[in-house]
Amino acid sequence: MRTELRIVAEAGRVAHIDARGGLTARHTGGDRVHLIGAAATPLGGDHIGVTVVVGPRARLTLRGVAATLALPGRGTIESSAHWHFEVAEGGDLDVDTPAMIVAGGAGHLNVTSVRLASGARLRLREQVQIGRTGERHGRWRGDLIADLDDLPLVRHRLELGAGVATDDVLGAHRALISELRYPDDRPAETFGLAAARLPLEAGGSLYTGLGDRLSDTSKP
């Protein structure tokens, strides 16, 4: 299945939503939109494409009603998603959706690309859990590519789960909470041994917290 979702927010207007496939969205008040699953996706071989555009002086709060579950398909275990966010001058985007859960035996590749104007505001949180209860052998890779005007803001890649370079039967992390903020002038800070907030050279910050389960993973 191929899923395409596009949300465009403009100042003074209700966000426009165009959806087809296994994911849709609904207005839930003011500048708030919730993502809603319309079919079981992603299965192995599925692709999800989401584009969110916030225009000048517009605001959008993006949430979800339930976690997303990646499952292996009959022909392949790997599914993929591309999330693209654009925020114009004076725009404000807040994204905090429920977790992506990668079931045992499944693999999921996620690419998040961001383009910000220098006067934009962004909070973008991502949550990932490898395995349902009793499962530890799913696999996930996430690429974050963010630009501020024409300058690179951050390039970041993380992998979790079975077979990745950091995999360890005794102590490998299986949960991730990350958060990109712009602007943000707070200094670098660590939270225990597995979470840190780091300032970015062009402004903003990137928080990364790792754990075994999301319920016990440090949050920003």
Side-chain angles (χ1 to χ4, degrees):
M1 179 187 295
R2 186 172 183 88
T3 294
E4 298 290 343
L5 172 63
R6 181 177 177 85
I7 303 171
V8 179
E10 298 178 338
R13 301 181 63 181
V14 174
H16 175 74
I17 299 169
D18 183 15
R20 60 181 183 270
L23 185 65
T24 187
R26 294 289 185 270
H27 301 102
T28 51
D31 56 12
R32 183 179 296 262
V33 170
H34 272 71
L35 302 180
I36 301 171
T41 191
L43 305 177
D46 288 358
H47 177 76
I48 298 172
V50 179
T51 299
V52 178
V53 179
V54 179
R57 299 177 303 281
R59 295 175 56 88
L60 181 65
T61 299
L62 189 62
R63 297 292 187 262
V65 299
T68 301
L69 178 63
L71 293 165
R74 181 174 298 178
T76 178
I77 67 169
E78 188 105 335
S79 57
S80 62
H82 183 193
W83 297 73
H84 179 69
F85 301 98
E86 296 182 23
V87 189
E89 188 77 17
D92 189 328
L93 175 61
D94 186 326
V95 181
D96 188 353
T97 55
M100 162 62 73
I101 300 172
V102 184
H108 187 73
L109 168 62
N110 191 81
V111 177
T112 302
S113 58
V114 179
R115 180 170 291 277
L116 300 173
S118 56
R121 300 186 66 86
L122 173 72
R123 182 177 78 99
L124 174 58
R125 180 179 290 188
E126 184 172 29
Q127 302 179 83
V128 180
Q129 176 69 62
I130 300 298
R132 296 166 291 187
T133 301
E135 297 177 339
R136 298 187 61 82
H137 55 289
R139 185 175 71 247
W140 175 89
R141 190 186 93 187
D143 294 352
L144 173 61
I145 304 162
D147 292 329
L148 180 65
D149 290 327
D150 294 327
L151 296 175
L153 181 63
V154 65
R155 303 288 189 269
H156 194 241
R157 172 177 291 178
L158 275 174
E159 294 182 303
L160 296 175
V164 307
T166 57
D167 187 29
D168 186 320
V169 174
L170 297 179
H173 298 298
R174 289 293 189 268
L176 164 71
I177 299 175
S178 70
E179 186 171 282
L180 175 65
R181 280 183 177 260
Y182 181 86
D184 188 3
D185 59 3
R186 291 175 294 175
E189 186 175 2
T190 57
F191 307 87
L193 299 177
R197 183 183 64 245
L198 301 177
L200 304 174
E201 181 65 25
S205 68
L206 180 64
Y207 173 92
T208 305
L210 297 168
D212 188 61
R213 310 300 298 178
L214 281 172
S215 58
D216 56 31
T217 299
S218 178
K219 296 177 176 59

